[in-house]
Amino acid sequence: METFITPAEAHAIIHAQIRTLPTVKATLLAALGRFLQEDIIAQEDVPPFDNSAMDGFALCVADLSAAPVTLKITGEIAAGDTPAMSLTQGSCVRIMTGAPVPDNTAAVVPVEWTRMETDSDVRVTRMPAAGQFVRAAGRDLRRGATVLEKGVRLTPPALGLLATAGHRSVRVSAVPRVTIVVTGDELFMESGSLPPGKIRDANGPALAAQVQYAGGSLVAVHHARDDKAEVADRLDQALHESDVILFSGGVSVGNFDYVNEVFDAAGVKRHFWRVKQRPGGPLSFGMCGAQAVFGLPGNPVSSFVCFEQYVRPAMQRLMAAQWTGPELHRAVLREALAKTKGLHHFIRGIACRDVAGQLEVRTTGPQASNLYSSAAAANCLIHLPQELEHPFAGQEVDIEWLPWAVPY
Ligand code: AMP
Ligand code: MG
């Protein structure tokens, strides 16, 4: 097991240990946000037939050149119709947007370019060019063409595209199932007034939300008291139901911190414990077969930061997402900060663009790892690397947007 490693080393270990989950067929809506695991081929032409782009009149080639001209209306085609009509010189067919055009249609003239002379005679005042306002079959997608390639993330319009190409379900990687176990005798899990010495559980609800936000499937949030047998029992249960198991609390060196000991006894192969970072130093990570097991430090900010830095990438890897490290952006730091040399600091920040368009960042205030309000106010994490000693106002630093922040 590695210990006192850097965040980059921790990422590398997690990346090396975790394998993508098997693929499954998912309905389109269930596939939202997931990564496509097959190339998708168009089953049919889109649009499937030549159709009108306007409400207007379909004309044949013989009438194209002369405008103004008066034409006899010989029929009407609505969207959804299957007309067996043919156009002849001097006649036209009234047609609606999306309706199939007659076979020998040369163009569609929009209603706005015409004037009715009688109920069945229309005056064309402006002539469309050949082919104008006719949407050709296969213009969007040709049958047999690749619609989307393996690996893309499925967005709402991507799902719409799949549907138009004739697909109702697609192959994506399975969603990781995640169990959370919050540990601590001090945690009061019920509602109602707090008994003396107890605190409310922050990490259970926050981690559950982070799991959901990262695209995982939350199996359960359990509580274990600081009791070895109880912690072991929760781990055993979690190993039966999940791909990722998150413990919060009990991974440090206190007298009642049993989590790592229980991991080892249960056969979890621990790959690291302790990362040269603040917050979240006592982070622990191991594998039990293909299942990933994290011991997140109990302080709410540590738990939150460790999830975003390590658990989210692990879940992405399980879901076959490309992940090449945190996505960093340069920003001007607007205040001097205290920093411990040798540790990578993750500071909760608020970043925005100044009048010149330059990204600038401030902290959310005091940064102790028990001050949860510092996390709730943040839109980014400021990365202060290990070697940095005295971050000063005006210097450039790296920031990473939090997933729920809309980047400026
Ligand atoms: P631990 O990692 O168990 O030593 O916990 C570190 C600190 O985080 C202690 O002050 C705990 O009371 C607190 N803590 C642990 N778990 C939670 C939790 N689920 N919600 C809020 N605070 C917690
Ligand atoms: Mg504890």
Side-chain angles (χ1 to χ4, degrees):
M1 184 187 68
E2 307 276 340
T3 189
F4 282 117
I5 58 174
T6 65
E9 287 164 341
H11 281 142
I13 291 172
I14 291 169
H15 196 78
Q17 291 303 322
I18 290 183
R19 296 276 168 274
T20 298
L21 292 172
T23 64
V24 290
K25 271 279 195 198
T27 60
L28 294 188
L29 192 53
L32 177 63
R34 292 160 74 177
F35 295 83
L36 193 58
Q37 292 302 299
E38 59 179 340
D39 288 336
I40 298 290
I41 307 301
Q43 312 269 34
E44 49 213 21
D45 280 350
V46 181
F49 47 83
D50 294 348
N51 68 94
S52 178
M54 299 296 259
D55 294 325
F57 301 89
L59 327 169
C60 65
V61 70
D63 288 317
L64 262 193
S65 47
V69 64
T70 298
L71 302 173
K72 180 80 49 213
I73 304 170
T74 58
E76 183 177 82
I77 312 172
D81 284 352
T82 51
M85 298 180 190
S86 198
L87 298 162
T88 52
Q89 182 164 16
S91 79
C92 67
V93 166
R94 192 191 295 273
I95 194 160
M96 310 305 148
T97 305
V101 296
D103 277 350
N104 61 336
T105 300
V108 169
V109 58
V111 171
E112 293 82 352
W113 295 2
T114 66
R115 193 175 68 234
M116 293 306 292
E117 288 195 328
T118 70
D119 279 355
S120 60
D121 295 288
V122 63
R123 183 90 175 147
V124 177
T125 52
R126 181 174 162 192
M127 203 38 95
Q132 203 173 1
F133 304 121
V134 177
R135 304 190 288 208
R139 184 68 203 278
D140 203 359
L141 293 172
R142 274 264 168 237
R143 178 163 181 229
T146 302
V147 180
L148 290 174
E149 282 181 11
K150 180 176 172 177
V152 302
R153 182 152 198 248
L154 294 169
T155 60
L159 297 180
L161 188 66
L162 291 172
T164 73
H167 294 268
R168 284 282 167 270
S169 64
V170 285
R171 193 155 280 284
V172 290
S173 53
V175 169
R177 296 160 302 159
V178 186
T179 293
I180 296 165
V181 183
V182 291
T183 72
D185 282 356
E186 73 278 35
L187 299 181
F188 179 66
M189 302 300 285
E190 288 112 76
S191 49
S193 53
L194 269 179
K198 304 287 183 188
I199 62 166
R200 297 195 198 274
D201 168 34
N203 297 346
L207 288 169
Q210 285 175 288
V211 165
Q212 198 160 313
Y213 216 93
S217 163
L218 180 71
V219 174
V221 180
H222 300 297
H223 174 225
R225 285 174 293 141
D226 291 316
D227 171 274
K228 217 181 293 183
E230 199 165 306
V231 173
D233 187 57
R234 298 293 181 273
L235 174 61
D236 183 59
Q237 185 180 352
L239 286 171
H240 280 95
E241 61 193 19
S242 285
D243 306 300
V244 179
I245 294 126
L246 306 178
F247 273 73
S248 125
V251 286
S252 200
V253 291
N255 283 354
F256 306 99
D257 289 342
Y258 296 125
V259 168
N260 282 317
E261 202 181 319
V262 166
F263 284 177
D264 297 344
V268 173
K269 181 166 171 21
R270 266 200 298 148
H271 289 282
F272 67 76
W273 176 45
R274 292 183 159 175
V275 181
K276 291 181 201 158
Q277 64 182 17
R278 181 172 295 159
L283 173 68
S284 169
F285 167 73
M287 296 292 292
C288 192
Q291 295 163 288
V293 184
F294 287 87
L296 307 173
N299 269 310
V301 176
S302 311
S303 157
F304 152 71
V305 166
C306 286
F307 183 98
E308 290 307 321
Q309 288 304 304
Y310 305 105
V311 182
R312 176 184 289 275
M315 286 174 58
Q316 293 207 315
R317 185 142 173 85
L318 286 165
M319 292 187 284
Q322 293 296 327
W323 195 85
T324 50
E327 208 183 302
L328 301 176
H329 305 269
R330 301 295 280 169
V332 177
L333 184 61
R334 287 295 177 213
E335 62 195 275
L337 295 176
K339 161 92 177 45
T340 304
K341 188 165 186 254
L343 295 183
H344 186 113
H345 284 213
F346 300 103
I347 307 284
R348 279 75 70 204
I350 300 172
C352 60
R353 293 207 182 268
D354 66 15
V355 283
Q358 165 72 51
L359 264 186
E360 58 174 18
V361 64
R362 290 181 168 71
T363 73
T364 53
Q367 295 284 311
S369 58
N370 60 329
L371 300 176
Y372 210 17
S373 43
S374 70
N379 66 2
C380 68
L381 290 176
I382 307 170
H383 284 246
L384 301 178
Q386 225 179 313
E387 63 279 10
L388 188 65
E389 265 190 89
H390 301 291
F392 56 88
Q395 88 167 85
E396 278 205 338
V397 291
D398 286 324
I399 66 155
E400 180 185 7
W401 297 110
L402 289 168
W404 40 88
V406 178
Y408 288 82

